[in-house]
Structure formats: C-alpha cells, structure tokens
Amino acid sequence: MRGFSGFPLAGLDFYEDLEADNSKSFWSAHRDVYETAVREPMLALTALLEPDFGEAKLFRPYRDVRFAKDKTPYKTAQGAVVRTAPGVGWYVQVGAPGLFVGGGFYQGTPAQLARLRGTVDDELRGTELQRILDTAAAAGFTIGGEKLKTKPKGFDAAHPRIDLLRHKSITAGKQFGAPDWLATPRAADEVRAAWEDVRPLVEWLSAVVGGTD
C-alpha cells in the first residue's frame, strides 16, 4: 500500500455522481475510481494514524437494505472508525460534501446509557463533560447525538445538566468541505489535529461507558 498523499477530488466527484445514479451498473463502471480515489487513500490515512490512535475499521460501501424502505444499494460516503470502547471512538468520512471528522459515543446498550447518565448526574464528572464539550464547540466542532424530546425517567426537568441527560449518544464533529489541502498529504495533519481536539471527549466517554455490561 502506498503512503497517504491526500484524497483526490475524483473521489468527491464519484460520490456526487453516485448520489444521482445509485445503481449497480454505475458502481460497476466506476469501481476503479472508488478503489483508487476513496478506499486506498482512506486505508493509507488510517494506517498513518494508527500508531497514535489505534487500528481503524473501514465501513463497507454496501448498504444493508433488508429492512429499509430505501433500497439504493450503495452508501454515499466512505467512513472509518477507530473504536476505543463499544460504541465509542474517532470517526472520519469522505463523500461528495468533502471531509468530515469527529468522535464520541455513537450508540450503546441500555447499561452503557445508564452509566453515562449516572455520571452526568454527578456534579463533578457531569460538569467536567460539559466543559469538554464547550471546549470542543469553541474549537469549531458541532455537538450532536440523538436526544430524547423529554427528560429521561428518574431525573428532574430542572436538573442543571438536563440537556446532557437527554442525550442517547454524544458526538463532536467538524465538516471541512473540500479545501485545497484535501488532495495533499496535509489532510492527514488536519485529521490528526481534529482527532486530538476531541481526544478528551473520546477518553472521557470511553472511561464512563466502556465497562462490561
């Protein structure tokens, strides 16, 4: 495998065209573009970052359509994740809009969610998480994650961290788009810096929800 030299813009064009024609015939005719402009650069990037963050898993390009109303067969972005605990880790994605980088707690078991909310309820640890999220937001990350519309059972609606308690997942992500450096080796430096920015969040969440159920 060659070293990482950036994400060719041909990969973004590939996904833009795939969004317009998400078919097996298009995929078959352009699979070489996916391999050379998307998959190989993502493998090279994650291999480069592995010593500092851990081994990554690349997601398959095929959608699971067995129970979906949308039967289009292919995903319209290539993602990779470095898991630090079940449901927790760093994430990177490239698609038609460009580069997206983030990290957090993406999904978990009821036991993990209970541990998360119990820790958020604690004044010291809950305030610590809020401070970590505020720092990430100040660095340009969007704080996201699935949330309840109402308060979770067992917690007062007037709780000082009720918004955090509503979270079923917590993420911090940044959309970079397609800057000039995306097709250059600098892209690895940008992903590395972004992952370092969210390291406090990833490590906090890993410590809290990473235990065995």
Side-chain angles (χ1 to χ4, degrees), residues 149-207:
K149 294 182 179 179
T150 59
K151 69 178 183 65
K153 292 181 180 179
F155 294 96
D156 195 309
H159 193 287
R161 291 174 298 284
I162 188 60
D163 188 61
L164 278 182
L165 289 168
R166 290 194 179 105
H167 276 269
K168 298 176 69 176
S169 58
I170 300 179
T171 61
K174 182 182 289 189
Q175 180 69 55
F176 286 91
D180 292 341
W181 50 256
L182 185 60
T184 75
R186 176 182 163 186
D189 297 330
E190 297 290 343
V191 174
R192 184 192 302 276
W195 278 3
E196 288 293 354
D197 283 342
V198 296
R199 185 185 286 277
L201 175 62
V202 170
E203 291 182 344
W204 191 99
L205 290 167
S206 297

Side-chain angles (χ1 to χ4, degrees), residues 48-199:
L48 181 63
L49 298 177
E50 182 175 338
D52 294 324
F53 299 96
E55 184 178 1
K57 174 188 175 182
L58 267 64
F59 291 105
R60 290 165 52 86
Y62 313 104
R63 297 182 62 248
D64 184 353
V65 299
R66 290 174 297 173
F67 308 107
K69 292 182 179 179
D70 179 3
K71 299 298 183 181
T72 50
Y74 303 103
K75 297 175 183 176
T76 54
Q78 176 65 65
V81 62
V82 176
R83 291 192 174 92
T84 57
V88 182
W90 287 283
Y91 182 75
V92 59
Q93 174 181 294
V94 66
L99 179 69
F100 176 84
V101 184
F105 175 48
Y106 289 90
Q107 60 181 1
T109 65
Q112 285 180 295
L113 186 56
R115 288 198 294 271
L116 174 62
R117 287 181 174 148
T119 309
V120 170
D121 184 39
D122 178 79
E123 179 66 26
L124 180 62
R125 298 300 307 283
T127 301
E128 181 181 40
L129 175 59
Q130 187 63 68
R131 184 167 59 249
I132 289 171
L133 292 171
D134 290 346
T135 299
F141 289 83
T142 298
I143 307 305
E146 185 181 359
K147 297 169 68 173
L148 295 173
K149 294 182 179 179
T150 59
K151 69 178 183 65
K153 292 181 180 179
F155 294 96
D156 195 309
H159 193 287
R161 291 174 298 284
I162 188 60
D163 188 61
L164 278 182
L165 289 168
R166 290 194 179 105
H167 276 269
K168 298 176 69 176
S169 58
I170 300 179
T171 61
K174 182 182 289 189
Q175 180 69 55
F176 286 91
D180 292 341
W181 50 256
L182 185 60
T184 75
R186 176 182 163 186
D189 297 330
E190 297 290 343
V191 174
R192 184 192 302 276
W195 278 3
E196 288 293 354
D197 283 342
V198 296
R199 185 185 286 277

